[in-house]
Amino acid sequence: MNNRLETIVDLKKYPIQNLDELSIKDIINKCKSELDNFSCTTIPDFILPQSLKIMNTELEKQLDKVYMSKQNINAYLYSKDDPSLTPNHPKRIFMDRDNGYLNSDLFKKDSEMKFLYEQEELLNFVSACLGIKPIYRWADPLACHAYNVMKPKGILPWHFDSCEFTLSIMIQKPEKGGIFEYCPNIRKPGNENFDEVKKVLDGNRERVRQLKLEPGDLQIFKGRFTLHRVTKIEGNRSRYLCIPAYVLDPWRVNTPEHAKAIYGKVLPIHYERNIKRTDGLAD
Ligand SMILES: [Fe+2]
């Protein structure tokens, strides 16, 4: 038995250390079906309350190190316009962004979140929920398990993630707003579906779903294929989330442009591993 893991995850409710157990198999089946149909699933009260407090404290102690990015950005996380595209191309729509990260390389060695991310039990559970094997922890040293901070009036506009699979653990909810919205399976490898993406960016709500996430809940979703956003934070309390991520390619990291725009700096690894993606999707 993994002694520290049982102080973080509610293993009585979710015995992820033994995926052969019937109760966890039922949960995995439910998650898999939701992920297949809606690219997203939620596991309520996954993190124990005392562990949530530890995560909250470790983030709050380092709030001064959070990098806030306020650049206007398109859904593919670029801030530079490409005038060679037609004027109504979705890549030419730039949206307000006010969102921050405590980069993963700033986490203390004994960090609660870092520990959880490094556990095989979590990786194997997520892999089973997705029905995809193997998946890997993200090699990006800034982004792999960053804390996300959205301050009052903060906003995260429509976008796709660079990593394939994104987890979210809600740590602190804002008073109002900060709602996660998403458009399931809107693009897939080899098919950007620009027309449908454009409709959503123009305000069409037909494909849009909302997710309610409470502190301690774990959300698993296919962030690379799911257009998503977080609405404006209302009231005085910030929204804290942790975003551990998994990928199909254990080598790839963010592009230097993304690392700079979103995490505020570029490391040598971002230049060394800056090659074209094999799934044919923009990021
Ligand atoms: Fe995202």
Side-chain angles (χ1 to χ4, degrees), residues 17 21 163 229 266:
Q17 78 283 18
E21 209 169 283
C163 54
R229 74 168 177 181
V266 188

Side-chain angles (χ1 to χ4, degrees), residues 108-121:
K108 301 270 188 269
K109 264 206 174 72
D110 66 344
S111 148
E112 188 89 339
M113 187 55 234
K114 183 176 159 65
F115 175 85
L116 175 61
Y117 184 59
E118 287 169 356
Q119 301 314 297
E120 288 301 300
E121 287 91 338

Side-chain angles (χ1 to χ4, degrees), residues 42-247:
T42 311
I43 302 153
D45 298 319
F46 186 76
I47 302 292
L48 291 164
Q50 68 266 29
S51 176
L52 210 57
K53 268 191 207 149
I54 295 171
M55 291 178 187
N56 200 334
T57 305
E58 70 184 23
L59 169 58
E60 287 206 316
K61 271 189 185 161
Q62 289 192 289
L63 271 185
D64 58 327
K65 298 198 178 75
V66 168
Y67 175 74
M68 298 301 299
S69 73
K70 295 191 179 186
Q71 248 171 340
N72 275 21
I73 211 157
N74 71 13
Y76 307 90
L77 304 178
Y78 278 99
S79 51
K80 238 205 210 139
D81 189 24
D82 180 355
S84 70
L85 299 169
T86 55
N88 64 349
H89 194 286
K91 284 189 181 174
R92 299 197 71 182
I93 296 179
F94 294 88
M95 297 160 277
D96 284 345
R97 175 188 173 100
D98 182 359
N99 175 69
Y101 285 108
L102 180 68
N103 297 340
S104 310
D105 65 335
L106 294 172
F107 282 46
K108 301 270 188 269
K109 264 206 174 72
D110 66 344
S111 148
E112 188 89 339
M113 187 55 234
K114 183 176 159 65
F115 175 85
L116 175 61
Y117 184 59
E118 287 169 356
Q119 301 314 297
E120 288 301 300
E121 287 91 338
L122 183 67
L123 184 142
N124 292 335
F125 171 62
V126 173
S127 172
C129 290
L130 289 160
I132 298 172
K133 209 177 170 180
I135 58 169
Y136 301 94
R137 291 182 198 98
W138 201 359
D140 194 297
L142 303 179
C144 57
H145 54 61
Y147 277 117
N148 173 238
V149 173
M150 292 180 72
K151 294 180 180 169
K153 297 199 175 72
I155 191 163
L156 185 61
W158 289 115
H159 69 281
F160 295 102
D161 292 341
S162 306
C163 54
E164 282 87 3
F165 313 115
T166 320
L167 268 51
S168 297
I169 296 168
M170 177 62 83
I171 293 175
Q172 177 175 284
K173 264 176 77 171
E175 286 162 16
K176 232 183 131 200
I179 306 287
F180 181 81
E181 295 190 335
Y182 63 108
C183 303
N185 299 316
I186 199 167
R187 74 173 186 177
K188 56 187 176 196
N191 182 5
E192 289 280 9
N193 207 0
F194 284 134
D195 289 346
E196 286 298 305
V197 171
K198 176 75 168 50
K199 275 193 208 165
V200 179
L201 301 184
D202 285 345
N204 186 303
R205 301 283 298 173
E206 274 167 41
R207 297 181 82 114
V208 178
R209 295 171 64 92
Q210 287 193 334
L211 181 82
K212 288 210 164 55
L213 214 53
E214 295 296 326
D217 292 356
L218 169 70
Q219 173 199 0
I220 305 174
F221 89 111
K222 300 179 181 177
R224 185 153 179 76
F225 315 106
T226 312
L227 190 64
H228 57 284
R229 74 168 177 181
V230 180
T231 63
K232 194 176 251 183
I233 308 297
E234 296 167 45
N236 294 318
R237 194 165 57 227
S238 297
R239 179 182 188 265
Y240 298 153
L241 214 70
C242 191
I243 311 189
Y246 296 100
V247 290

